Amino acid sequence: MNPASITFEGVTVRYPGVQRNAVTDISLEVGGGELVVLLGPSGCGKSTLLRTVNRLVALQDGRVLVDATDVAQLDAVELRRSVGYVIQAVGLFANMSVAQNIGVVPSLLRWSRGEIDARVDELLRLVGLDPAAYRNRRPSALSGGEAQRIGVARAIAARPRALLMDEPFGAVDVVVRTALQRELIRIVGELRTTTIFVTHDVDEAFRLADRIVVMREGRIEQAGAPFDVFQAPATPYVRQLVHAGDDVYRRYYMRTRELLRTT
Amino acid sequence: MNYLASHSWRVAALAAGHIELVAVALVVALAVAIPLGVLAARRPRIAPWLLGTLGAIYTIPSLALLAVFVEAFGLGFAPIFVALVVYAQFMLARSVAAGIASIDRAQVDAARGLGMSPAQVLYRVEFPQALPVVIGGIRVAAIAMIAIATLGGYVGGVGLGVLIFNGLTLHQNAMIVAGSIAASGLAIAVDGLLRLTERLFAN
């Protein structure tokens, strides 16, 4: 399927019984095949904004368009089947094998048995797990890193038009996280799936993003290429955020990445 | 013991009636309790009211509850059948609600986010994982129902209670003992069978 573009137009969300908006008047365009990272502290509205795309969250105001179609016009269940979704807690179904988990959306879409089996093996290989060893395992017999690989495989199984990832690597240790990030770059690079990735980890954002959107208190502070956000922070908050921690490393990393891109 | 041996066919026939009464009542009770349990799991606000009401009914002595239904339906199969269905609601609905509530929310979030309809979330993710808890509830309910169903001998002439109540009337201790032993044996057997099933589904 062609990668979809995703457009937010004046999106405002307020949860029932809460005074403050979770997200206020956000407009943003995510191009087809782009990997956009929503970066910000917890409670800044990044997950909420993500969940408006597959209608897990209802809008107070504004529109969300997938390929110029207002998602409010689509059947929510069909929409969700066409958009991959990965969450931090993974949420593998404990009553199903690894293969059944990966095949869940294809089976909802009534693919044939043979198609599903072939796709499951293909995806296990794609996320770096041996199909013969993992196909019939139970989720309870997986490590955190393995579970999240399966989570990613499950999300992309039915070749979604877009991929939504909500802090997917937040619960695994640093070594595994780095490996998963590297693989995500490879996988998304291969698939060219439009991806929105939510994180509070600045390094992760710079490692993955085509474009970084820094959020704070339900609004966008700055949106731009990682290099630009790093070189020219739009607000004191962004400056503080992107220059915190291992600044030297990030400086070096950004330079290298920018050189690689321009050559 | 003598009575059991000499009237084994009669005891077997009454036991069959007893099992039939409990089994049919259990199926009907489940058909009511499953939607109630799902409702309680979905609506945390009304869950305490719903389960509280069922719990209150559960605390009514079974003989008193039965008297109400005899008043309503007359003697026969109906009052004991309805009493069993009503009585079992608390244990069954509570186990369905508890089984569903025990499932980790991330699975439900993922299920919805991947595009399962509410019914599919229920049938594909929630029910299969709630099953061991629900079978536990069925086991407890079934044992209680086997005990209460002996009152069917008093109001409807069905089940092993017939032996017990006839024995009381006729001062035939052997009959009373036979009825009691058969009912107890039935309860123990069903308990064992359902414990085994429970273990089979727990993984």
Side-chain angles (χ1 to χ4, degrees), chain B residues 139-172:
Chain B
R139 181 172 61 80
V140 176
I143 294 163
M145 288 165 89
I146 289 171
I148 296 165
T150 52
L151 296 175
Y154 190 51
V155 300
V158 286
L160 292 162
V162 170
L163 293 176
I164 298 172
F165 288 105
N166 284 354
L168 283 169
T169 315
L170 303 170
H171 299 291
Q172 295 283 328

PDB file of all heavy atoms in Angstrom, chain B residues 139-172:
ATOM      1  N   ARG B 139     -17.838 -23.853  38.996  1.00  0.00           N
ATOM      2  CA  ARG B 139     -17.654 -24.966  39.926  1.00  0.00           C
ATOM      3  C   ARG B 139     -18.332 -24.658  41.263  1.00  0.00           C
ATOM      4  O   ARG B 139     -19.128 -25.462  41.769  1.00  0.00           O
ATOM      5  CB  ARG B 139     -16.151 -25.203  40.134  1.00  0.00           C
ATOM      6  CG  ARG B 139     -15.822 -26.342  41.052  1.00  0.00           C
ATOM      7  CD  ARG B 139     -14.329 -26.621  41.035  1.00  0.00           C
ATOM      8  NE  ARG B 139     -13.546 -25.482  41.493  1.00  0.00           N
ATOM      9  CZ  ARG B 139     -13.373 -25.170  42.779  1.00  0.00           C
ATOM     10  NH1 ARG B 139     -13.940 -25.907  43.719  1.00  0.00           N
ATOM     11  NH2 ARG B 139     -12.650 -24.134  43.121  1.00  0.00           N
ATOM     12  N   VAL B 140     -18.052 -23.480  41.792  1.00  0.00           N
ATOM     13  CA  VAL B 140     -18.643 -23.095  43.081  1.00  0.00           C
ATOM     14  C   VAL B 140     -20.170 -23.040  42.955  1.00  0.00           C
ATOM     15  O   VAL B 140     -20.901 -23.529  43.824  1.00  0.00           O
ATOM     16  CB  VAL B 140     -18.086 -21.728  43.536  1.00  0.00           C
ATOM     17  CG1 VAL B 140     -18.768 -21.272  44.814  1.00  0.00           C
ATOM     18  CG2 VAL B 140     -16.578 -21.818  43.742  1.00  0.00           C
ATOM     19  N   ALA B 141     -20.648 -22.460  41.852  1.00  0.00           N
ATOM     20  CA  ALA B 141     -22.092 -22.346  41.654  1.00  0.00           C
ATOM     21  C   ALA B 141     -22.734 -23.727  41.529  1.00  0.00           C
ATOM     22  O   ALA B 141     -23.780 -23.997  42.124  1.00  0.00           O
ATOM     23  CB  ALA B 141     -22.384 -21.502  40.410  1.00  0.00           C
ATOM     24  N   ALA B 142     -22.088 -24.610  40.760  1.00  0.00           N
ATOM     25  CA  ALA B 142     -22.668 -25.929  40.518  1.00  0.00           C
ATOM     26  C   ALA B 142     -22.817 -26.711  41.812  1.00  0.00           C
ATOM     27  O   ALA B 142     -23.836 -27.374  42.050  1.00  0.00           O
ATOM     28  CB  ALA B 142     -21.801 -26.706  39.521  1.00  0.00           C
ATOM     29  N   ILE B 143     -21.812 -26.633  42.686  1.00  0.00           N
ATOM     30  CA  ILE B 143     -21.874 -27.361  43.954  1.00  0.00           C
ATOM     31  C   ILE B 143     -23.019 -26.832  44.817  1.00  0.00           C
ATOM     32  O   ILE B 143     -23.809 -27.601  45.371  1.00  0.00           O
ATOM     33  CB  ILE B 143     -20.528 -27.235  44.706  1.00  0.00           C
ATOM     34  CG1 ILE B 143     -19.442 -27.948  43.910  1.00  0.00           C
ATOM     35  CG2 ILE B 143     -20.631 -27.821  46.094  1.00  0.00           C
ATOM     36  CD1 ILE B 143     -18.050 -27.555  44.305  1.00  0.00           C
ATOM     37  N   ALA B 144     -23.109 -25.496  44.891  1.00  0.00           N
ATOM     38  CA  ALA B 144     -24.205 -24.898  45.668  1.00  0.00           C
ATOM     39  C   ALA B 144     -25.552 -25.301  45.077  1.00  0.00           C
ATOM     40  O   ALA B 144     -26.506 -25.604  45.801  1.00  0.00           O
ATOM     41  CB  ALA B 144     -24.055 -23.380  45.689  1.00  0.00           C
ATOM     42  N   MET B 145     -25.610 -25.329  43.734  1.00  0.00           N
ATOM     43  CA  MET B 145     -26.879 -25.667  43.083  1.00  0.00           C
ATOM     44  C   MET B 145     -27.264 -27.117  43.339  1.00  0.00           C
ATOM     45  O   MET B 145     -28.444 -27.427  43.522  1.00  0.00           O
ATOM     46  CB  MET B 145     -26.774 -25.396  41.574  1.00  0.00           C
ATOM     47  CG  MET B 145     -26.751 -23.893  41.252  1.00  0.00           C
ATOM     48  SD  MET B 145     -26.211 -23.573  39.561  1.00  0.00           S
ATOM     49  CE  MET B 145     -27.777 -23.638  38.702  1.00  0.00           C
ATOM     50  N   ILE B 146     -26.289 -28.004  43.365  1.00  0.00           N
ATOM     51  CA  ILE B 146     -26.587 -29.418  43.652  1.00  0.00           C
ATOM     52  C   ILE B 146     -27.186 -29.544  45.048  1.00  0.00           C
ATOM     53  O   ILE B 146     -28.153 -30.288  45.267  1.00  0.00           O
ATOM     54  CB  ILE B 146     -25.302 -30.277  43.508  1.00  0.00           C
ATOM     55  CG1 ILE B 146     -24.921 -30.392  42.036  1.00  0.00           C
ATOM     56  CG2 ILE B 146     -25.532 -31.670  44.107  1.00  0.00           C
ATOM     57  CD1 ILE B 146     -23.562 -31.018  41.797  1.00  0.00           C
ATOM     58  N   ALA B 147     -26.631 -28.779  45.983  1.00  0.00           N
ATOM     59  CA  ALA B 147     -27.155 -28.829  47.349  1.00  0.00           C
ATOM     60  C   ALA B 147     -28.574 -28.264  47.407  1.00  0.00           C
ATOM     61  O   ALA B 147     -29.481 -28.892  47.968  1.00  0.00           O
ATOM     62  CB  ALA B 147     -26.232 -28.035  48.276  1.00  0.00           C
ATOM     63  N   ILE B 148     -28.763 -27.106  46.801  1.00  0.00           N
ATOM     64  CA  ILE B 148     -30.067 -26.455  46.877  1.00  0.00           C
ATOM     65  C   ILE B 148     -31.129 -27.250  46.114  1.00  0.00           C
ATOM     66  O   ILE B 148     -32.302 -27.279  46.488  1.00  0.00           O
ATOM     67  CB  ILE B 148     -29.973 -25.005  46.344  1.00  0.00           C
ATOM     68  CG1 ILE B 148     -29.055 -24.192  47.255  1.00  0.00           C
ATOM     69  CG2 ILE B 148     -31.354 -24.352  46.274  1.00  0.00           C
ATOM     70  CD1 ILE B 148     -28.616 -22.883  46.635  1.00  0.00           C
ATOM     71  N   ALA B 149     -30.684 -27.916  45.050  1.00  0.00           N
ATOM     72  CA  ALA B 149     -31.632 -28.673  44.222  1.00  0.00           C
ATOM     73  C   ALA B 149     -32.312 -29.796  45.002  1.00  0.00           C
ATOM     74  O   ALA B 149     -33.362 -30.298  44.583  1.00  0.00           O
ATOM     75  CB  ALA B 149     -30.929 -29.233  42.986  1.00  0.00           C
ATOM     76  N   THR B 150     -31.735 -30.194  46.141  1.00  0.00           N
ATOM     77  CA  THR B 150     -32.410 -31.223  46.953  1.00  0.00           C
ATOM     78  C   THR B 150     -33.780 -30.730  47.424  1.00  0.00           C
ATOM     79  O   THR B 150     -34.685 -31.529  47.656  1.00  0.00           O
ATOM     80  CB  THR B 150     -31.565 -31.611  48.189  1.00  0.00           C
ATOM     81  OG1 THR B 150     -31.214 -30.426  48.889  1.00  0.00           O
ATOM     82  CG2 THR B 150     -30.320 -32.371  47.788  1.00  0.00           C
ATOM     83  N   LEU B 151     -33.910 -29.402  47.533  1.00  0.00           N
ATOM     84  CA  LEU B 151     -35.216 -28.841  47.921  1.00  0.00           C
ATOM     85  C   LEU B 151     -36.267 -29.096  46.848  1.00  0.00           C
ATOM     86  O   LEU B 151     -37.465 -28.988  47.099  1.00  0.00           O
ATOM     87  CB  LEU B 151     -35.088 -27.327  48.176  1.00  0.00           C
ATOM     88  CG  LEU B 151     -34.184 -26.929  49.351  1.00  0.00           C
ATOM     89  CD1 LEU B 151     -34.035 -25.416  49.418  1.00  0.00           C
ATOM     90  CD2 LEU B 151     -34.757 -27.464  50.660  1.00  0.00           C
ATOM     91  N   GLY B 152     -35.780 -29.440  45.629  1.00  0.00           N
ATOM     92  CA  GLY B 152     -36.711 -29.807  44.565  1.00  0.00           C
ATOM     93  C   GLY B 152     -37.552 -31.021  44.932  1.00  0.00           C
ATOM     94  O   GLY B 152     -38.662 -31.210  44.429  1.00  0.00           O
ATOM     95  N   GLY B 153     -37.017 -31.854  45.812  1.00  0.00           N
ATOM     96  CA  GLY B 153     -37.773 -33.014  46.279  1.00  0.00           C
ATOM     97  C   GLY B 153     -38.980 -32.586  47.096  1.00  0.00           C
ATOM     98  O   GLY B 153     -40.010 -33.259  47.128  1.00  0.00           O
ATOM     99  N   TYR B 154     -38.856 -31.451  47.734  1.00  0.00           N
ATOM    100  CA  TYR B 154     -39.917 -30.950  48.614  1.00  0.00           C
ATOM    101  C   TYR B 154     -41.020 -30.267  47.819  1.00  0.00           C
ATOM    102  O   TYR B 154     -42.204 -30.486  48.050  1.00  0.00           O
ATOM    103  CB  TYR B 154     -39.275 -29.974  49.611  1.00  0.00           C
ATOM    104  CG  TYR B 154     -40.176 -29.560  50.737  1.00  0.00           C
ATOM    105  CD1 TYR B 154     -40.860 -30.501  51.506  1.00  0.00           C
ATOM    106  CD2 TYR B 154     -40.316 -28.210  51.053  1.00  0.00           C
ATOM    107  CE1 TYR B 154     -41.679 -30.106  52.551  1.00  0.00           C
ATOM    108  CE2 TYR B 154     -41.128 -27.805  52.098  1.00  0.00           C
ATOM    109  CZ  TYR B 154     -41.804 -28.762  52.846  1.00  0.00           C
ATOM    110  OH  TYR B 154     -42.612 -28.368  53.885  1.00  0.00           O
ATOM    111  N   VAL B 155     -40.619 -29.432  46.847  1.00  0.00           N
ATOM    112  CA  VAL B 155     -41.623 -28.622  46.152  1.00  0.00           C
ATOM    113  C   VAL B 155     -42.003 -29.147  44.777  1.00  0.00           C
ATOM    114  O   VAL B 155     -43.005 -28.734  44.203  1.00  0.00           O
ATOM    115  CB  VAL B 155     -41.147 -27.153  45.983  1.00  0.00           C
ATOM    116  CG1 VAL B 155     -40.893 -26.510  47.326  1.00  0.00           C
ATOM    117  CG2 VAL B 155     -39.906 -27.079  45.096  1.00  0.00           C
ATOM    118  N   GLY B 156     -41.203 -30.067  44.220  1.00  0.00           N
ATOM    119  CA  GLY B 156     -41.493 -30.446  42.857  1.00  0.00           C
ATOM    120  C   GLY B 156     -41.404 -31.930  42.580  1.00  0.00           C
ATOM    121  O   GLY B 156     -41.697 -32.385  41.471  1.00  0.00           O
ATOM    122  N   GLY B 157     -41.021 -32.711  43.581  1.00  0.00           N
ATOM    123  CA  GLY B 157     -40.886 -34.138  43.354  1.00  0.00           C
ATOM    124  C   GLY B 157     -39.791 -34.481  42.372  1.00  0.00           C
ATOM    125  O   GLY B 157     -39.856 -35.488  41.672  1.00  0.00           O
ATOM    126  N   VAL B 158     -38.778 -33.617  42.273  1.00  0.00           N
ATOM    127  CA  VAL B 158     -37.650 -33.939  41.390  1.00  0.00           C
ATOM    128  C   VAL B 158     -36.364 -34.059  42.190  1.00  0.00           C
ATOM    129  O   VAL B 158     -36.199 -33.415  43.229  1.00  0.00           O
ATOM    130  CB  VAL B 158     -37.446 -32.862  40.289  1.00  0.00           C
ATOM    131  CG1 VAL B 158     -38.510 -32.970  39.220  1.00  0.00           C
ATOM    132  CG2 VAL B 158     -37.404 -31.468  40.894  1.00  0.00           C
ATOM    133  N   GLY B 159     -35.481 -34.887  41.679  1.00  0.00           N
ATOM    134  CA  GLY B 159     -34.130 -34.965  42.208  1.00  0.00           C
ATOM    135  C   GLY B 159     -34.003 -35.832  43.443  1.00  0.00           C
ATOM    136  O   GLY B 159     -34.972 -36.425  43.926  1.00  0.00           O
ATOM    137  N   LEU B 160     -32.773 -35.879  43.943  1.00  0.00           N
ATOM    138  CA  LEU B 160     -32.462 -36.752  45.070  1.00  0.00           C
ATOM    139  C   LEU B 160     -33.136 -36.309  46.357  1.00  0.00           C
ATOM    140  O   LEU B 160     -33.253 -37.083  47.303  1.00  0.00           O
ATOM    141  CB  LEU B 160     -30.939 -36.814  45.257  1.00  0.00           C
ATOM    142  CG  LEU B 160     -30.210 -37.545  44.115  1.00  0.00           C
ATOM    143  CD1 LEU B 160     -28.729 -37.210  44.113  1.00  0.00           C
ATOM    144  CD2 LEU B 160     -30.429 -39.049  44.227  1.00  0.00           C
ATOM    145  N   GLY B 161     -33.586 -35.082  46.392  1.00  0.00           N
ATOM    146  CA  GLY B 161     -34.304 -34.588  47.564  1.00  0.00           C
ATOM    147  C   GLY B 161     -35.570 -35.374  47.838  1.00  0.00           C
ATOM    148  O   GLY B 161     -36.036 -35.449  48.976  1.00  0.00           O
ATOM    149  N   VAL B 162     -36.114 -35.985  46.788  1.00  0.00           N
ATOM    150  CA  VAL B 162     -37.311 -36.818  46.938  1.00  0.00           C
ATOM    151  C   VAL B 162     -37.075 -37.888  47.993  1.00  0.00           C
ATOM    152  O   VAL B 162     -37.909 -38.116  48.873  1.00  0.00           O
ATOM    153  CB  VAL B 162     -37.693 -37.463  45.584  1.00  0.00           C
ATOM    154  CG1 VAL B 162     -38.768 -38.525  45.774  1.00  0.00           C
ATOM    155  CG2 VAL B 162     -38.158 -36.379  44.608  1.00  0.00           C
ATOM    156  N   LEU B 163     -35.894 -38.520  47.912  1.00  0.00           N
ATOM    157  CA  LEU B 163     -35.565 -39.565  48.895  1.00  0.00           C
ATOM    158  C   LEU B 163     -35.504 -38.984  50.305  1.00  0.00           C
ATOM    159  O   LEU B 163     -36.021 -39.571  51.257  1.00  0.00           O
ATOM    160  CB  LEU B 163     -34.218 -40.217  48.551  1.00  0.00           C
ATOM    161  CG  LEU B 163     -34.151 -41.039  47.266  1.00  0.00           C
ATOM    162  CD1 LEU B 163     -32.718 -41.521  47.047  1.00  0.00           C
ATOM    163  CD2 LEU B 163     -35.107 -42.221  47.355  1.00  0.00           C
ATOM    164  N   ILE B 164     -34.860 -37.837  50.399  1.00  0.00           N
ATOM    165  CA  ILE B 164     -34.672 -37.232  51.718  1.00  0.00           C
ATOM    166  C   ILE B 164     -36.024 -36.850  52.326  1.00  0.00           C
ATOM    167  O   ILE B 164     -36.333 -37.188  53.478  1.00  0.00           O
ATOM    168  CB  ILE B 164     -33.753 -35.999  51.628  1.00  0.00           C
ATOM    169  CG1 ILE B 164     -32.366 -36.421  51.125  1.00  0.00           C
ATOM    170  CG2 ILE B 164     -33.639 -35.294  52.984  1.00  0.00           C
ATOM    171  CD1 ILE B 164     -31.434 -35.285  50.803  1.00  0.00           C
ATOM    172  N   PHE B 165     -36.867 -36.179  51.552  1.00  0.00           N
ATOM    173  CA  PHE B 165     -38.144 -35.712  52.103  1.00  0.00           C
ATOM    174  C   PHE B 165     -39.141 -36.853  52.317  1.00  0.00           C
ATOM    175  O   PHE B 165     -39.856 -36.866  53.310  1.00  0.00           O
ATOM    176  CB  PHE B 165     -38.721 -34.593  51.231  1.00  0.00           C
ATOM    177  CG  PHE B 165     -37.948 -33.308  51.391  1.00  0.00           C
ATOM    178  CD1 PHE B 165     -37.072 -32.880  50.411  1.00  0.00           C
ATOM    179  CD2 PHE B 165     -38.069 -32.552  52.555  1.00  0.00           C
ATOM    180  CE1 PHE B 165     -36.343 -31.716  50.567  1.00  0.00           C
ATOM    181  CE2 PHE B 165     -37.335 -31.385  52.731  1.00  0.00           C
ATOM    182  CZ  PHE B 165     -36.464 -30.961  51.731  1.00  0.00           C
ATOM    183  N   ASN B 166     -39.140 -37.806  51.383  1.00  0.00           N
ATOM    184  CA  ASN B 166     -39.992 -38.982  51.608  1.00  0.00           C
ATOM    185  C   ASN B 166     -39.528 -39.749  52.836  1.00  0.00           C
ATOM    186  O   ASN B 166     -40.332 -40.226  53.641  1.00  0.00           O
ATOM    187  CB  ASN B 166     -39.980 -39.923  50.387  1.00  0.00           C
ATOM    188  CG  ASN B 166     -40.830 -39.357  49.256  1.00  0.00           C
ATOM    189  OD1 ASN B 166     -41.496 -38.333  49.432  1.00  0.00           O
ATOM    190  ND2 ASN B 166     -40.805 -40.022  48.109  1.00  0.00           N
ATOM    191  N   GLY B 167     -38.212 -39.873  52.974  1.00  0.00           N
ATOM    192  CA  GLY B 167     -37.650 -40.565  54.137  1.00  0.00           C
ATOM    193  C   GLY B 167     -38.052 -39.891  55.429  1.00  0.00           C
ATOM    194  O   GLY B 167     -38.389 -40.558  56.417  1.00  0.00           O
ATOM    195  N   LEU B 168     -38.058 -38.545  55.417  1.00  0.00           N
ATOM    196  CA  LEU B 168     -38.461 -37.799  56.607  1.00  0.00           C
ATOM    197  C   LEU B 168     -39.922 -38.069  56.936  1.00  0.00           C
ATOM    198  O   LEU B 168     -40.291 -38.292  58.085  1.00  0.00           O
ATOM    199  CB  LEU B 168     -38.242 -36.294  56.381  1.00  0.00           C
ATOM    200  CG  LEU B 168     -36.795 -35.801  56.479  1.00  0.00           C
ATOM    201  CD1 LEU B 168     -36.680 -34.366  55.966  1.00  0.00           C
ATOM    202  CD2 LEU B 168     -36.297 -35.889  57.934  1.00  0.00           C
ATOM    203  N   THR B 169     -40.755 -38.065  55.898  1.00  0.00           N
ATOM    204  CA  THR B 169     -42.183 -38.284  56.099  1.00  0.00           C
ATOM    205  C   THR B 169     -42.464 -39.697  56.594  1.00  0.00           C
ATOM    206  O   THR B 169     -43.289 -39.915  57.477  1.00  0.00           O
ATOM    207  CB  THR B 169     -42.946 -38.062  54.783  1.00  0.00           C
ATOM    208  OG1 THR B 169     -42.461 -36.872  54.187  1.00  0.00           O
ATOM    209  CG2 THR B 169     -44.436 -37.939  55.014  1.00  0.00           C
ATOM    210  N   LEU B 170     -41.766 -40.669  55.982  1.00  0.00           N
ATOM    211  CA  LEU B 170     -42.044 -42.067  56.280  1.00  0.00           C
ATOM    212  C   LEU B 170     -41.189 -42.615  57.416  1.00  0.00           C
ATOM    213  O   LEU B 170     -41.246 -43.799  57.730  1.00  0.00           O
ATOM    214  CB  LEU B 170     -41.814 -42.933  55.028  1.00  0.00           C
ATOM    215  CG  LEU B 170     -42.628 -42.520  53.786  1.00  0.00           C
ATOM    216  CD1 LEU B 170     -42.140 -43.272  52.559  1.00  0.00           C
ATOM    217  CD2 LEU B 170     -44.122 -42.758  54.018  1.00  0.00           C
ATOM    218  N   HIS B 171     -40.349 -41.738  58.011  1.00  0.00           N
ATOM    219  CA  HIS B 171     -39.406 -42.174  59.040  1.00  0.00           C
ATOM    220  C   HIS B 171     -38.541 -43.316  58.557  1.00  0.00           C
ATOM    221  O   HIS B 171     -38.309 -44.293  59.256  1.00  0.00           O
ATOM    222  CB  HIS B 171     -40.148 -42.583  60.330  1.00  0.00           C
ATOM    223  CG  HIS B 171     -40.929 -41.449  60.909  1.00  0.00           C
ATOM    224  ND1 HIS B 171     -40.334 -40.348  61.478  1.00  0.00           N
ATOM    225  CD2 HIS B 171     -42.271 -41.225  60.969  1.00  0.00           C
ATOM    226  CE1 HIS B 171     -41.260 -39.488  61.874  1.00  0.00           C
ATOM    227  NE2 HIS B 171     -42.458 -39.990  61.562  1.00  0.00           N
ATOM    228  N   GLN B 172     -38.088 -43.213  57.313  1.00  0.00           N
ATOM    229  CA  GLN B 172     -37.183 -44.215  56.744  1.00  0.00           C
ATOM    230  C   GLN B 172     -35.773 -43.633  56.686  1.00  0.00           C
ATOM    231  O   GLN B 172     -35.395 -42.970  55.727  1.00  0.00           O
ATOM    232  CB  GLN B 172     -37.627 -44.590  55.320  1.00  0.00           C
ATOM    233  CG  GLN B 172     -38.968 -45.276  55.249  1.00  0.00           C
ATOM    234  CD  GLN B 172     -38.859 -46.731  55.662  1.00  0.00           C
ATOM    235  OE1 GLN B 172     -37.835 -47.357  55.430  1.00  0.00           O
ATOM    236  NE2 GLN B 172     -39.896 -47.272  56.285  1.00  0.00           N
TER     237      GLN B 172
END
